[in-house]
Amino acid sequence: QRANLENALHNAVEKKQFQLYYQVQVDNQNLPVGAEALIRWQHPVLGTVPPQDFIPLAEESGLIVPIGRWVIETACAQIRRWQGNPRTAGLTVAVNISPRQFYQVDFVDEVLECLSETAIDSELLKLELTEGLILDDVDAAIVKMNELRRAGVQFSLDDFGTGYFSLSYLTKLPLSQLKIDQSFVRNIGINDSDSIIIKTIIGMSQSLGFEVAAEGVESQHQFDFLEALGCQMFQGYLFSRPVAVGEFEGLL
Ligand code: C2E
Ligand code: MG
Ligand code: MG
């Protein structure tokens, strides 16, 4: 089954069966400020395959390298198109980066190439890294992140609060944003200790000068709680599910 899937995934790369969905991110006034790009595999028989069903295999097999390159190219091309329209100009696009992709020797060059080919404002591209990715090789990660940050690229720390991160790293990394993991958001009003963790993350982000974002916001109550504490960016089903680009533009 695994071999079959890996075969099909090889084909998918060649046949360009991938698609990026976009999930809107809003500010505390409910205004769209960006989108997270989330990959989908449009399989001719299986239909739409979610990323958790193929990203781990892509990562193990190395196929994540061409797939990840396609994601960055497609996201940059989208930023370029959106820059031409006053309704969409200025929207940031967040892209998830996987460890194997990030630690490729030419990762930085590839991103820089995409930026110069599309001639987009590089501040609009936001790379989402996880604590685990950075912990794989903190020193190398700092070097790569600094190179890209100098070119304008922004970084968000995804699923924050779930890994084994040393807080001292936060001051060493050129991060723009911390993204509170949805497991904490889900427990707002249910589990007091998770609410305390959220409060702490937001307070710490403010002190360190990072923007703080929350994902998995599904209810008005969760939004109000986060907003009152000073959370600046919100993403979740309360606003929209991830959708194809046409639908995303309609939603705006
Ligand atoms: P993530 O980066 O943490 O993305 C957030 C996930 O939460 C997305 O799942 C999104 O659809 C889902 N989500 C958003 N709002 C809500 C909500 O209100 N409630 C709930 N229950 N879920 C919500 P998705 O699209 O299935 O992606 C899952 C994971 O797959 C992502 O987690 C990310 O780690 C990975 N992924 C997605 N696209 C890519 C990609 O292009 N490259 C890589 N390397 N990984 C990707
Ligand atoms: Mg993400
Ligand atoms: Mg996340």
Side-chain angles (χ1 to χ4, degrees):
Q1 206 180 359
R2 217 193 102 104
N4 274 342
L5 189 63
E6 197 175 321
N7 249 334
L9 204 51
H10 258 286
N11 265 323
V13 175
E14 280 157 27
K15 293 190 178 145
K16 305 228 179 302
Q17 290 172 347
F18 299 109
Q19 188 181 0
L20 288 186
Y21 274 29
Y22 294 88
Q23 186 176 32
V24 72
Q25 300 172 318
V26 302
D27 66 10
N28 62 356
Q29 310 289 318
N30 241 309
L31 293 172
V33 287
E36 178 172 9
L38 295 155
I39 196 170
R40 301 290 182 262
W41 177 9
Q42 304 298 357
H43 189 281
V45 178
L46 300 174
T48 304
V49 185
Q52 64 266 29
D53 290 358
F54 68 90
I55 291 287
L57 182 61
E59 176 79 13
E60 275 173 53
S61 63
L63 282 169
I64 193 66
V65 175
I67 295 174
R69 189 183 306 134
W70 176 85
V71 172
I72 292 177
E73 282 167 6
T74 307
C76 288
Q78 192 58 62
I79 294 174
R80 162 108 203 158
R81 276 193 291 276
W82 280 344
Q83 274 192 339
N85 181 336
R87 282 178 76 93
T88 49
L91 291 178
T92 56
V93 174
V95 171
N96 295 283
I97 305 295
S98 77
R100 186 125 170 210
Q101 178 189 9
F102 181 80
Y103 289 108
Q104 288 284 306
V105 283
D106 52 358
F107 176 74
V108 170
D109 290 336
E110 269 182 26
V111 176
L112 294 178
E113 215 169 281
C114 271
L115 292 173
S116 69
E117 269 169 21
T118 48
I120 54 172
D121 173 1
S122 47
E123 297 272 344
L124 297 179
L125 179 66
K126 195 180 274 174
L127 303 185
E128 294 199 358
L129 310 181
T130 59
E131 298 168 59
L133 175 149
I134 293 167
L135 286 176
D136 280 348
D137 189 345
V138 179
D139 294 332
I142 292 175
V143 171
K144 282 178 185 252
M145 289 173 75
N146 278 330
E147 276 176 356
L148 287 168
R149 183 65 200 121
R150 271 196 297 277
V153 175
Q154 301 205 60
F155 286 96
S156 174
L157 198 52
D158 202 359
D159 307 337
F160 184 70
T162 58
Y164 296 90
F165 216 54
S166 159
L167 293 180
S168 70
Y169 293 149
L170 287 179
T171 58
K172 300 196 174 86
L173 300 166
L175 293 166
S176 309
Q177 183 184 75
L178 295 186
K179 207 167 180 186
I180 303 171
D181 188 67
Q182 40 184 296
S183 60
F184 301 116
V185 175
R186 198 172 303 135
N187 282 333
I188 290 171
I190 298 169
N191 181 330
D192 281 346
S193 61
D194 282 351
S195 302
I196 292 166
I197 290 174
I198 290 178
K199 230 177 254 183
T200 308
I201 294 176
I202 294 176
M204 185 180 67
S205 300
Q206 287 170 340
S207 310
L208 292 170
F210 302 137
E211 180 183 66
V212 57
E215 65 181 349
V217 181
E218 293 185 354
S219 73
Q220 188 64 38
H221 175 67
Q222 291 167 343
F223 175 83
D224 292 340
F225 178 88
L226 291 157
E227 202 271 327
L229 290 173
C231 184
Q232 291 139 304
M233 200 197 235
F234 308 82
Q235 180 183 344
Y237 296 167
L238 180 62
F239 316 99
S240 167
R241 290 180 177 258
V243 290
V245 67
E247 199 176 330
F248 179 87
E249 289 167 354
L251 262 169
L252 289 177

